[in-house]
Amino acid sequence: MINELCGMFTGNNPIPLTGVELRADIAGRGARVKVIQNFLNAEDKAIEAVYKFPLPEGAAICGFRALVDDRIIIGEIEDRDTAFALYDKALSKGDGAYLLDEERPNIFTMSVGNLPPGKKACIELEYVTLMETNGRETRFFLPTTIAPRYTPADMPEMDGIPVDEIVNPPFQLQIPYELSVSISVHGADEIDSIRSPSHPVNIAFPKKEAPIVDRYIIVTFAEEKAAMDRDFILTVTYHQVFSNRAFWCRHQDDIFIQVDLCEIADDQLENIKKTAETESKEMVFVLDCSGSMAGSSIEQAKKAIDILLKALPQDSHFNIYRFGSRFEKKFPKCVPYNETNFKEALSYVCSIDADLGGTEILSPLKDIYKSLPTKGRKRHVVLITDGDISNENEVVRIIKKGADHSVLHSVGIGYSSNEYLIRQAARVAGGACEFVAPGERIEPKVLRLFQKMASSSISDLHVSNGHHIDHAPAYPFLLKGEAVTLFLKTQDGSLLAKNLTIIGSTGEHEILWNLPLQPLSGANIPIPVLWAKEKIRDIEESTFAENGSRQMNRKKDHLSKDLVSISKQYGVISKNTSYVAIEKRAAIEGDDHEIVLRKVPVMLAKGWGGITAETIPLYSDKSLSIVCCSIAKPAFMRKAQPMSYFTSDQQDVSDEDILEMPVFLRRSTSALERSISSSDKKQEELMHILSCQQPQGGFIWSRDVADIFGLSLEELRAMADQMIVKADCDKHLLFFTMLTIELLTKKSSQFESSWRAIVGKSASWLQNELQRCQPTINGIDLENWIRRI
Amino acid sequence: MEAKKYTIEDLCDLTGFSRRTIRYYVQSGIIDSPAGRGRGGFYNDTHLDKLRQIRAFQEQGLTLQAIQARLSEDKPPETISRQDIWVRYEIGPGVEIHIRRDQEITDRRRVIELIRAARAIMKEEKSS
């Protein structure tokens, strides 16, 4: 593998990027982020520095400026070709120029043109984004490097330039520039805990006497700077789940409305469950076994399939695909979920390795989607991958085509997975997605995914009591436990006089929300910018359709014009537009030197392809990755504000306003840390118990599980042997299943959301067995006997 | 005869490549740097011919990597008469203009104007 990759590593050219800074304000579900890239030309000739870098795919980039000497040059949005022409002409004339292009929704190219010897340039990008929300938790995410993307041999070049050149920067195992972060998390009193599974962080709390209106926590790296070899993740858990709400603002002649749907009323939840329970499933697991998955990623992926296999409902059909340069499938077609097939599948998963070479993801998907699911069944495809490919649009197109009959869920694995592919694949196919970074526990995430699979999604969300409303996204849907945001643009002022009615459908039942519409005041919430970002995403996705008829091509032309127009009007970059800033310079006689191109290398993502494999075992005491803290609940509890943006510059924060707290490293001995560790341990034990589940749903305990509860396995077995049953059955299986469900209910109610979906299968199996066998011990029926002990 | 000089805009019009692509080919060493003043220098017929060759290979389905390999092969000098060569300009979907090579060389400036005007007309048609 190393030999194959050698061509990707660059030589010893001077690297003009000296550091990257991240400054962010997080409030509820929203974040306003500034990314600052510092360039320096340390050579004796003028250079053009070209830096390919990642950003979150949902980032609405709405600001771009260059700081050179004491000048600030503000960037403007132009269509992509015009922007390049302006940039190129400026360089030809001896001016400075700065260009930002979008190559993929999560890959960008920064060109810093004509940087004279010894000169510095500081580039600032600003974006706003809504963070992923699950229950009480939001997840802030910043990718720091681009993992090498696999390009299929038959992928067409783009305007004569190989796609590889467009998405892949040069890679190095080490780079001299690093990342520093400073994040203000607002609403300190509403926050339960903050943790970064990816980096050790310092957390500075507000002083008790700080004004209650803006008490915020500042998060920085524990060691000031960090290597740019993995995603930075910060999860903020609030005391309470986010509430549904709708608010509006005016922009020019339009009214913009943001609707946050975070909760579903209990009576409506029943409808969702009912719809889901009647659905028979065909589950297809698709596992990426390409070289880039080698190391911890493939192990995580196997663990995910193992958990999902055990959790499958009894009447499911299933199959397992794995792919790399070629693909193979465990069974020629989906097979019933029974003990024989389950065991065969488990042993197949055990034997899997990341040994299939390239990432030809299209072939297995084509094979799956070429046939319809078995009649009466809904197909669920679970794609587990790092997503390191450059033909995302082809892949998404196939998934979208099959969305009528197949839901696709995706799991992104690794230090630097392709967020765009993972999210977009699930988004176009009505599915859920999860990301598992190596510092994170995979089990709860996979179980959460399973829960979302097990309940129906609410789709076709729209406002029912207004006219001429431009919805973005065009096809939003809501999964249980997640939050979805709708952005609306309208000129229908009558909407503001009443409650907003949102309607969605599970396919069989209608779900309704009636929300008061609040005017936006105070905080600077850029609803028009967020609406534009969603709109741009909708349009970009439509333009990915295959070229075909003349009518289709005309439609695409039209959409491209719309894209440029919205992008320019709202100042949000798109694939067809770029930011460009020109720094006029006084002409110097005879200064017609050549400008030397310097491509900035990026650091190879940690663990990528097993090349930079971890030396620290996950979750061990030596792990540096998990740092967390909890903040004492205030005397009063307020609901977390779902979203609010702040324009205050981080530099304005006075040191006097914050109280420095010690770094809580995992190995620290603080009482707080011990309590978190104890919670982690309980979760680990829970996962261990759940892993004892048998395909029909019953549990068989191992000695380790008995030890968790402080019981003797021998004694328990002897008790099970005493059981008297009226029909032939596996007494141990019956006994331990009853015991497991009872103990989970009593001892592990705090993690019920993690085990409920899995144990549901066990409960229904147990109910049947209890009726059939009527087991008793010492004349007492098993259920009561276990409750008594 | 004085060598013809082309700006990068001329090359874009004559070859159909975007400015970005031509710049990329220069930076990657696939075509030579423009002559004269750094980035703002002028291109000549050698650049134009090379770009046309690249375009022709691309139309045959070759990747850039394969094209580079072909271009670096030692080839015998061109023996075909310029009167036998016709240069094809794509004006828009389904519309092309063909100009004989010798005519194109002697009347280059007007050819460029013709192509630009034709493309502008096609764009107008499309948007109306």
Side-chain angles (χ1 to χ4, degrees), chain A residues 644-657:
Chain A
S644 160
Y645 288 93
F646 296 81
T647 50
S648 65
D649 196 310
Q650 197 98 59
Q651 284 165 333
D652 295 337
V653 174
S654 155
D655 287 346
E656 289 171 10
D657 289 337

Side-chain angles (χ1 to χ4, degrees), chain A residues 154-169:
Chain A
D154 58 354
M155 189 162 180
E157 291 171 348
M158 284 186 65
D159 193 20
I161 303 177
V163 173
D164 240 352
E165 290 282 325
I166 292 167
V167 297
N168 278 323

Side-chain angles (χ1 to χ4, degrees), chain A residues 48 50 80-81 83-89 91-93 99 101 103 153 157-162 165 554 557 561 578 591-595 597 599, chain B residues 8-9 16-28 33-34 36-41 43 54-55 58 62-65 67 93 123 126-127:
Chain A
E48 177 188 19
V50 175
R80 196 176 159 101
D81 286 344
F84 184 81
L86 288 170
Y87 170 84
D88 195 50
K89 279 178 189 166
L91 262 56
S92 303
K93 286 199 294 188
L99 178 72
D101 292 311
E103 312 297 359
E157 291 171 348
M158 284 186 65
D159 193 20
I161 303 177
E165 290 282 325
R554 262 205 301 273
D557 278 348
K561 279 182 188 156
S578 303
D591 185 20
D592 50 4
H593 52 257
E594 197 70 44
I595 302 166
L597 173 69
K599 291 183 183 174
Chain B
I8 191 163
E9 287 92 349
F17 282 118
S18 71
R19 189 175 186 124
R20 196 184 286 264
T21 304
I22 294 175
R23 214 43 108 188
Y24 168 76
Y25 289 163
V26 173
Q27 285 175 333
S28 313
S33 299
R37 298 171 49 251
R39 196 176 178 111
Y43 299 84
I54 295 171
R55 179 58 97 196
Q58 282 172 346
L62 263 62
T63 63
L64 193 62
Q65 199 182 4
I67 294 169
K123 269 191 185 168
K126 217 164 143 187
S127 51

Side-chain angles (χ1 to χ4, degrees), chain A residues 463-481:
Chain A
V463 173
S464 70
N465 59 336
H467 303 287
H468 308 296
I469 299 175
D470 195 343
H471 289 75
Y475 305 104
F477 61 93
L478 178 62
L479 292 164
K480 193 183 158 215

Side-chain angles (χ1 to χ4, degrees), chain A residues 715-770:
Chain A
E715 282 180 24
L716 290 171
R717 282 178 178 160
M719 287 174 195
D721 290 335
Q722 284 177 37
M723 204 158 65
I724 295 168
V725 287
K726 290 192 174 167
D728 191 24
C729 71
D730 182 333
K731 287 183 179 179
H732 285 193
L733 190 64
L734 194 53
F735 180 86
F736 283 114
T737 307
M738 186 76 235
L739 192 58
T740 307
I741 293 177
E742 191 61 21
L743 285 169
L744 285 176
T745 312
K746 293 259 164 66
K747 304 269 185 193
S748 201
S749 55
Q750 68 190 107
F751 299 119
E752 189 177 338
S753 58
S754 298
W755 55 259
R756 178 52 67 192
I758 287 193
V759 172
K761 180 168 81 168
S762 316
S764 58
W765 173 82
L766 182 67
Q767 218 50 48
N768 286 338
E769 286 298 280
L770 289 177

Side-chain angles (χ1 to χ4, degrees), chain A residues 144-392:
Chain A
T144 69
T145 190
I146 300 164
R149 298 292 172 84
Y150 173 82
T151 305
D154 58 354
M155 189 162 180
E157 291 171 348
M158 284 186 65
D159 193 20
I161 303 177
V163 173
D164 240 352
E165 290 282 325
I166 292 167
V167 297
N168 278 323
F171 298 97
Q172 283 187 189
L173 289 172
Q174 290 295 328
I175 47 166
Y177 61 88
E178 292 183 306
L179 174 73
S180 63
V181 304
S182 175
I183 299 174
S184 300
V185 188
H186 296 262
D189 298 317
E190 295 154 353
I191 294 168
D192 193 42
S193 68
I194 295 182
R195 54 166 59 198
S196 169
S198 60
H199 292 76
V201 288
N202 265 336
I203 295 165
F205 299 87
K207 273 183 177 175
K208 278 183 184 157
E209 59 269 27
I212 202 78
V213 287
D214 190 14
R215 284 161 57 82
Y216 54 92
I217 295 158
I218 295 188
V219 180
T220 50
F221 284 148
E223 292 184 8
E224 194 188 347
K225 289 179 178 176
M228 295 177 68
D229 64 347
R230 70 194 74 185
D231 300 336
F232 169 59
I233 298 156
L234 190 74
T235 57
V236 182
T237 308
Y238 291 84
H239 294 315
Q240 297 187 22
V241 291
F242 292 94
S243 52
N244 300 328
R245 72 170 189 170
F247 48 102
W248 66 275
C249 70
R250 272 188 203 280
H251 177 75
Q252 293 163 1
D253 295 333
D254 298 308
I255 295 165
F256 285 86
I257 300 171
Q258 177 173 334
V259 184
D260 291 339
L261 299 177
C262 312
E263 290 176 299
I264 305 167
D266 286 347
D267 56 329
Q268 310 224 15
L269 260 180
E270 281 307 308
N271 285 339
I272 297 177
K273 279 185 193 160
K274 271 182 211 156
T275 307
E277 277 165 9
T278 55
E279 179 188 287
S280 294
K281 290 183 174 61
E282 182 175 298
M283 302 291 301
V284 184
F285 301 101
V286 186
L287 178 59
D288 183 349
C289 288
S290 63
S292 64
M293 289 283 287
S296 65
S297 295
I298 190 72
E299 293 310 319
Q300 294 265 59
K302 284 162 69 174
K303 206 184 241 182
I305 293 195
D306 184 275
I307 297 165
L308 289 168
L309 269 178
K310 285 175 178 161
L312 282 186
Q314 198 60 41
D315 65 341
S316 308
H317 284 195
F318 77 107
N319 202 354
I320 301 170
Y321 280 68
R322 70 182 199 113
F323 69 91
S325 298
R326 59 184 175 85
F327 76 90
E328 58 184 46
K329 44 189 169 182
K330 171 62 193 147
F331 304 106
K333 58 179 189 173
C334 277
V335 293
Y337 182 68
N338 57 34
E339 196 163 349
T340 316
N341 291 334
F342 168 77
K343 282 184 176 161
E344 256 191 66
L346 265 193
S347 94
Y348 176 72
V349 172
C350 266
S351 67
I352 281 174
D353 207 351
D355 54 1
L356 291 183
T359 315
E360 296 285 354
I361 198 166
L362 277 174
S363 312
L365 288 176
K366 280 179 181 166
D367 193 68
I368 294 164
Y369 284 95
K370 76 182 177 197
S371 61
L372 291 171
T374 318
K375 205 174 174 189
R377 292 184 178 275
K378 179 89 177 174
R379 183 192 282 150
H380 289 256
V381 179
V382 181
L383 174 64
I384 304 174
T385 178
D386 56 18
D388 290 337
I389 55 165
S390 58
N391 58 334
E392 296 102 325

Side-chain angles (χ1 to χ4, degrees), chain A residues 497-630:
Chain A
K498 52 201 172 191
N499 278 2
L500 202 63
T501 307
I502 313 284
I503 290 185
S505 169
T506 63
E508 288 178 18
H509 299 94
E510 203 169 68
I511 310 282
L512 269 178
W513 289 267
N514 219 337
L515 302 174
L517 198 49
Q518 304 157 4
L520 188 64
S521 58
N524 174 24
I525 304 177
I527 308 178
V529 168
L530 292 168
W531 174 86
K533 172 68 190 176
E534 288 298 336
K535 197 74 195 167
I536 285 170
R537 192 179 359 228
D538 282 345
I539 297 174
E540 283 183 344
E541 197 204 304
S542 316
T543 59
F544 295 152
E546 270 170 296
N547 285 326
S549 61
R550 198 178 284 182
Q551 195 182 0
M552 170 63 87
N553 293 344
R554 262 205 301 273
K555 191 180 163 199
K556 280 175 109 174
D557 278 348
H558 190 68
L559 287 170
S560 292
K561 279 182 188 156
D562 284 352
L563 197 59
V564 173
S565 156
I566 292 173
S567 179
K568 287 172 91 165
Q569 187 180 352
Y570 295 94
V572 180
I573 196 173
S574 70
K575 74 180 173 86
N576 285 12
T577 51
S578 303
Y579 261 115
V580 62
I582 308 294
E583 177 204 350
K584 294 268 182 210
R585 291 179 188 159
I588 300 168
E589 195 65 31
D591 185 20
D592 50 4
H593 52 257
E594 197 70 44
I595 302 166
V596 186
L597 173 69
R598 293 286 179 244
K599 291 183 183 174
V600 175
V602 303
M603 196 162 171
L604 194 66
K606 187 170 170 64
W608 188 86
I611 292 178
T612 50
E614 294 89 333
T615 50
I616 305 167
L618 294 173
Y619 315 128
S620 78
D621 281 349
K622 287 178 184 171
S623 169
L624 290 174
S625 26
I626 298 181
V627 176
C628 55
C629 76
S630 195

